[in-house]
Amino acid sequence: MKMLLSVYLPLLPLECMRPRWSEAAAFVVIDKGAVLTMSRDAARDGVRVGMRTGGVSAVSPATQTLERAPEQESRAMEAIATALMQYTPEVTFQPDFSVLLDVSASLTLFRGPHALCSRVMRNIEELGFTARLGAAPTAEGAWLLAHSHRIKGLTLQRRALSVPTLHRRLDALPCGLVPAAWPFHDWLTDIGAKRIGQLRKLPRTGLLRRTSKELLAALDRAYGEAPEMHEWIRPPLTFNVRAETFGRVENAEALLYGATSLILQLVGWLVSLQQSVRTFTLLLEHERGRSAVPPTQIEIALAEPAWQEQHLVRLLKERLAKVELERPVIALRLQVLDVEAMLPPNESLFPEPGGSPQDLARLLELLTARLGQENVLVPADVDDYRPEVCNSWVSATTKQPRSQIEDILEGRPFWLLPKPIKLLMRDERPFYMSPLRFIEGPERLEAGWWADQTAARDYYVAQASNQSCYWIYRERVRDDVLWYLHGLFA
């Protein structure tokens, strides 16, 4: 499934100097004497894009003006692109403060497009920016959907998961949203082609003669009728990123917002290079000039290499809580000192057969740290003879002696079916893809009577003609003979 995300950052010129999580106030960014963008408070006071500075002072005297800072905008775009590389290595920039991600190969890993879009938006928030996200099978289409929020009175879903849906979404957009159509806005309005769908119904040869080939090419790319070429960003081989605090911070714990944005960039950088970090340093920079002092250095060494955002942020939060600042902090710098290649997935459960219980414990801790507590399970000790009851699993972090685990597993298969399969009978023998031959059993089981769920079964280990072994049982509470397949032997 082809899927591209366009992340549009409408307030980037402002938020690269005043992040969205900073103190609320009325701000405008001035470019060449006119308002380029503004905060919500300034817009509420009547400030509009294109207004001159004198008009801003007249409408909203309390509004603070900031000169546009292109270098800070570029650094912010690079920071966002680096952080989003944790979802795909195919990241690049688009016009008008937008970042493009090709997540086609990442959808299954991140549990589908909706969950992935939610994660991307949450990360942008954590970085301190406001974003509008468009999702479509084409990059141009995703860009148009992401920018559609600028059209007043237009209520349109900005995600199109299929080409037919994308076509319907694009047909409803105004032509003025396409940059290549701006020079021809008056002519298109005069002939009644206000929407892209109406524009596409016009004869192509006449449209080419009266407009431009750039307009037709842009529409073809948006609708998936022409190929799109992209030059993806290549991450640097070293990681050394700096972020200003936008003020003098005197409490170390208050630095967590800025430090989290650096960790997000670190995670994106690590994943894009398939690396994990073992040691990194956070430098807290203080005053410059005559009163300059060396930065406060916080070095974090991990017992095992890691690249997970939550784990790294948690470690950093604990360390910052113990730091007492002697001078205010004006900037943060994150440096990576030691990295290792991400470990490939093991083909077997245990790396070395015959390991000690301590080896098993360390392995379970490592798997839990990497995969999550809910994804690493061990057999539980349940006092019941019925396999469907005693074959229960708990988190690997639950303490349980190894001897109990071995007792539970002895003589029975690991893999039980969620529901036993009723077997056919041929020549008075159970049949499952071939006649089954008994090689062990019976194990007689009678249990559940105390809960009015009586189970009376005779279990056998049976072998098929292809040497596969199955765990089957004969039901004994019925008058007729019924056989069921309950488990599989590896």
Side-chain angles (χ1 to χ4, degrees), residues 28-45:
V28 297
V29 176
I30 302 298
D31 183 32
K32 298 178 181 179
V35 174
L36 176 63
T37 188
M38 74 217 76
S39 67
R40 185 174 300 176
D41 292 338
R44 193 180 295 118
D45 290 343

Side-chain angles (χ1 to χ4, degrees), residues 70-89:
E71 291 185 2
Q72 292 190 39
E73 294 173 9
S74 298
R75 287 197 296 268
M77 290 289 289
E78 291 174 0
I80 294 169
T82 301
L84 296 181
M85 285 183 181
Q86 62 183 287
Y87 302 111
T88 172

Side-chain angles (χ1 to χ4, degrees), residues 121 395 419 426:
M121 292 296 289
S395 171
K419 183 179 181 181
R426 293 186 181 178

Side-chain angles (χ1 to χ4, degrees), residues 269-330:
W269 179 79
L270 290 171
V271 174
S272 66
L273 296 176
Q274 292 295 292
Q275 298 287 316
S276 55
V277 63
R278 182 176 285 277
T279 308
F280 64 94
T281 299
L282 180 67
L283 300 176
L284 312 182
E285 299 182 6
H286 305 291
E287 298 288 347
R288 302 187 185 92
R290 292 183 179 180
S291 56
V293 294
T296 301
Q297 181 171 321
I298 303 175
E299 182 173 313
I300 297 179
L302 289 78
E304 295 290 343
W307 62 89
Q308 298 87 352
E309 172 196 343
Q310 292 181 351
H311 181 54
L312 298 177
V313 171
R314 189 184 307 115
L315 291 176
L316 198 55
K317 181 179 180 180
E318 293 176 357
R319 292 295 300 273
L320 285 173
K322 300 176 182 178
V323 174
E324 295 184 4
L325 296 178
E326 298 180 357
R327 300 286 184 89
V329 177
I330 62 172

Side-chain angles (χ1 to χ4, degrees), residues 358-416:
Q358 292 77 19
D359 293 332
L360 174 60
R362 283 194 294 268
L363 174 62
L364 292 177
E365 290 173 357
L366 178 59
L367 291 174
T368 301
R370 293 179 179 175
L371 304 177
Q373 184 175 349
E374 69 278 6
N375 294 322
V376 182
L377 307 176
V378 296
D381 190 5
V382 180
D383 294 328
D384 199 299
Y385 290 102
R386 289 169 294 177
E388 63 270 22
V389 178
C390 71
N391 190 59
S392 300
W393 299 79
V394 297
S395 171
T397 57
T398 303
K399 292 184 178 180
Q400 187 165 332
R402 175 159 182 146
S403 59
Q404 292 181 332
I405 296 177
E406 291 177 344
D407 291 339
I408 296 167
L409 302 180
E410 186 177 358
R412 290 183 175 179
F414 262 105
W415 312 113
L416 292 186

